[in-house]
Amino acid sequence: MTGPVAGRGDLDSASAVPLHPAARQVLLAALDRGYADPRRLHRAGREARLLLDNAREATSDALGVRADEVTFTPSGTHAVHLGLLGLVRGSRRGDLVVHPAVEHSAVHRAVEWGARGEAVPCDREGRVLADVLAQAATASEVGAVALQTANHEVGTLQPVGEVELPDDVPLFTDACASMGRLALPTGWAAAAGSAHKWGGPAGVGVLLVRKRARWRNPFPADDRADERSTGFENLPAALAAAAALQAVVAERDEVNARHHELIDVVRRRVAAEVPDVEVVGDPDRRLPHLVTFSCLYVDGEALVTELDRRGFGIASGSACTASTLAPSHVLEAMGVLTHGNVRLSLQRETTRSDVDAFCDALPGLVADLRGRVGL
Amino acid sequence: MTPDPHRDVALELDCREMPCPMPVIELARHLTDVEVGELLAVVALDPAAAVDVPAWCRMKAQDYVGADAAPDGAPRYVVRRVS
């Protein structure tokens, strides 16, 4: 048995997390046991159906929802598309979606494809202006509001569950950035998550639709386990995702406290040791494991490359490789520096010494890149 | 706030062909080429400049006056040197 190949320097858990140890055995066992079609009445089909029901049960337990509110989808993105557009389709009011400008591109693309959008501004920390959102949601043609649980690029928590909406305007929450790590907020009619962001396998999304929500399938219907499923379920992966989710929820108090403190270290050290840097996002009310900052006069991609050469894997919201590329719409909406951007997100095993090694290496690399342009 | 196109911009930097973050780097390099109180402008097609020039002004305590367009339509960002 081999462990994940992710090295100690992989600081990009917001993009992908290695398979959780709790998921590995489940996945291997389910590959053999869960191959059949869960709709079939023969023995192998019943076995597959049992596993699917187990996966939904475990997921619903971990998330604190009903089992019949859980649907596995082929990705988090697909869960976002289905969840949001299904609420719009079910609305009696209209097809306008009110959402913050800082939503994930999956929300933006879904709105462009199947609805009309009204983007609401955010503050400098990336939190939606809740009063503006609530006001915009009262317009007669609003079919749904989309509000992420937390921002995927800067970590700022959004006030889901605190926004007053008209009774017949449902809220969709993209919970991909937080699912498993944080308890779900209240006040939503549909929600989406993505297993590879909590340590499940890729190719598993979770769509949650509340029992009483008016949701209609926005895509061609299929004849699967429930009305929201499309195509043959990836049962072994769904079961492994559920096992990882249970494990992550069970250990999150300890992991989150550790991560929150480590990110505080990064925020403090980067701000103190790198000149002309802007550490962005809410310093407190944020995802525990993620921080974003931007270094003046630095090409973000060049910084990614230099960090990678020293063994650190981080993401960047900058787009400096060609003058036509647009920078991160999140940073743009916040009005913060878009170039020289680094998003660092901790893996489950990341330690203080890993974080210190990054913070030790960064000032020299930034100074070197600035030196190349004579600054 | 749109600057008056006839206003006296003491120095205009042509950064049309430059990718990010070069327009901001040019701005930093040439800030001291104008006197305190004078206007410095950057012409840039790089879409990041629309966000990064105001952000630079905030970080470096300079005054972002606003955006207008060069005669060829390219976006121009105007900054007042305050220190």
Side-chain angles (χ1 to χ4, degrees):
Chain A
M1 183 72 58
T2 55
V5 295
R8 314 261 2 155
D10 182 332
L11 299 171
D12 192 15
S13 65
S15 293
V17 174
L19 195 65
H20 195 285
R24 181 172 295 271
Q25 282 303 331
V26 171
L27 179 63
L28 292 175
L31 283 172
D32 290 328
R33 283 181 61 203
Y35 70 93
D37 187 338
R39 293 175 311 163
R40 299 298 170 225
L41 300 178
H42 49 62
R43 181 178 173 156
R46 288 197 308 273
E47 177 78 10
R49 179 73 212 200
L50 186 68
L51 294 184
L52 178 61
D53 289 345
N54 285 350
R56 293 175 77 176
E57 195 73 41
T59 301
S60 71
D61 275 356
L63 297 176
V65 300
R66 295 168 50 127
D68 59 1
E69 294 174 332
V70 175
T71 299
F72 296 109
T73 65
S75 68
T77 301
H78 192 61
V80 167
H81 294 169
L82 269 172
L84 175 55
L85 293 174
L87 291 180
V88 174
R89 192 100 195 271
S91 169
R92 294 192 183 93
R93 290 169 55 115
D95 68 344
L96 188 64
V97 175
V98 175
H99 61 84
V102 296
E103 285 293 306
H104 191 278
S105 58
V107 167
H108 286 274
R109 295 293 106 78
V111 169
E112 284 165 21
W113 183 83
R116 291 178 302 128
E118 182 180 339
V120 172
C122 63
D123 62 19
R124 183 60 51 75
E125 292 180 335
R127 185 168 288 110
V128 70
L129 303 182
D131 295 351
V132 181
L133 184 79
Q135 180 58 38
T138 62
S140 61
E141 71 272 38
V142 173
V145 166
L147 179 59
Q148 59 195 185
T149 54
N151 186 266
H152 52 291
E153 280 188 40
V154 302
T156 298
L157 299 180
Q158 302 289 359
V160 180
E162 297 164 29
V163 184
E164 290 281 333
L165 297 178
D167 286 342
D168 56 349
V169 174
L171 185 131
F172 167 77
T173 190
D174 170 7
C176 289
S178 71
M179 192 174 278
R181 296 175 189 277
L182 303 178
L184 282 169
T186 57
W188 48 270
S194 181
H196 73 93
K197 290 186 195 290
W198 72 65
V204 181
V206 169
L207 169 65
L208 306 175
V209 177
R210 285 293 195 205
K211 197 66 190 153
R212 285 181 303 278
R214 281 183 58 84
W215 184 94
R216 300 290 178 271
N217 200 328
F219 302 135
D222 201 356
D223 178 24
R224 301 303 307 174
D226 69 71
E227 59 163 344
R228 300 179 293 271
S229 298
T230 314
F232 197 100
E233 295 84 358
N234 186 350
L235 256 181
L239 205 60
L245 185 63
Q246 285 185 311
V248 165
V249 167
E251 66 197 14
R252 72 180 168 201
D253 286 349
E254 181 270 319
V255 172
N256 287 355
R258 186 158 48 79
H259 279 178
H260 205 278
E261 213 172 297
L262 289 176
I263 290 297
D264 280 343
V265 170
V266 178
R267 294 186 73 100
R268 204 168 49 236
R269 284 199 62 186
V270 168
E273 296 172 36
V274 181
D276 289 328
V277 73
E278 189 168 39
V279 182
V280 303
D282 192 307
D284 302 309
R285 288 182 297 159
R286 58 166 170 84
L287 291 171
H289 65 298
L290 184 155
V291 61
T292 292
F293 55 88
S294 296
C295 309
L296 210 46
Y297 315 130
V298 171
D299 173 345
E301 277 96 331
L303 187 54
V304 169
T305 304
E306 290 302 322
L307 283 165
D308 182 51
R309 284 172 58 183
R310 282 154 185 82
F312 302 105
I314 54 101
S316 174
S318 300
C320 294
T321 45
S323 60
T324 50
L325 286 182
S328 151
H329 70 272
V330 172
L331 302 176
E332 187 176 7
M334 292 165 65
V336 299
L337 205 61
T338 71
H339 71 250
N341 177 256
V342 165
R343 181 188 68 185
L344 179 151
S345 47
L346 305 175
Q347 299 286 2
R348 185 167 151 266
E349 311 281 354
T350 305
T351 63
R352 173 68 194 253
S353 67
D354 299 330
V355 158
D356 278 334
F358 173 86
C359 292
D360 290 342
L362 185 70
L365 292 178
V366 170
D368 180 49
L369 289 169
R370 285 174 177 162
R372 288 186 203 172
V373 294
L375 284 168
Chain B
M1 178 171 29
T2 307
D4 175 358
H6 304 294
R7 194 199 313 251
D8 196 13
V9 169
L11 178 63
E12 183 176 290
L13 305 170
D14 179 7
C15 303
R16 284 177 180 78
E17 304 305 317
M18 295 180 188
C20 99
M22 289 308 294
V24 174
I25 290 172
E26 286 301 298
L27 185 59
R29 275 186 181 141
H30 293 282
L31 179 70
T32 52
D33 292 355
V34 304
E35 299 298 321
V36 170
E38 283 187 330
L39 299 179
L40 172 66
V42 183
V43 181
L45 298 173
D46 163 28
V51 185
D52 288 354
V53 173
W56 177 86
C57 289
R58 184 165 45 74
M59 290 173 76
K60 304 306 282 184
Q62 303 299 322
D63 183 18
Y64 180 64
V65 178
D68 60 6
D72 65 349
R76 185 175 82 147
Y77 307 96
V78 183
V79 173
R80 183 189 309 280
R81 182 182 171 196
V82 295
S83 59

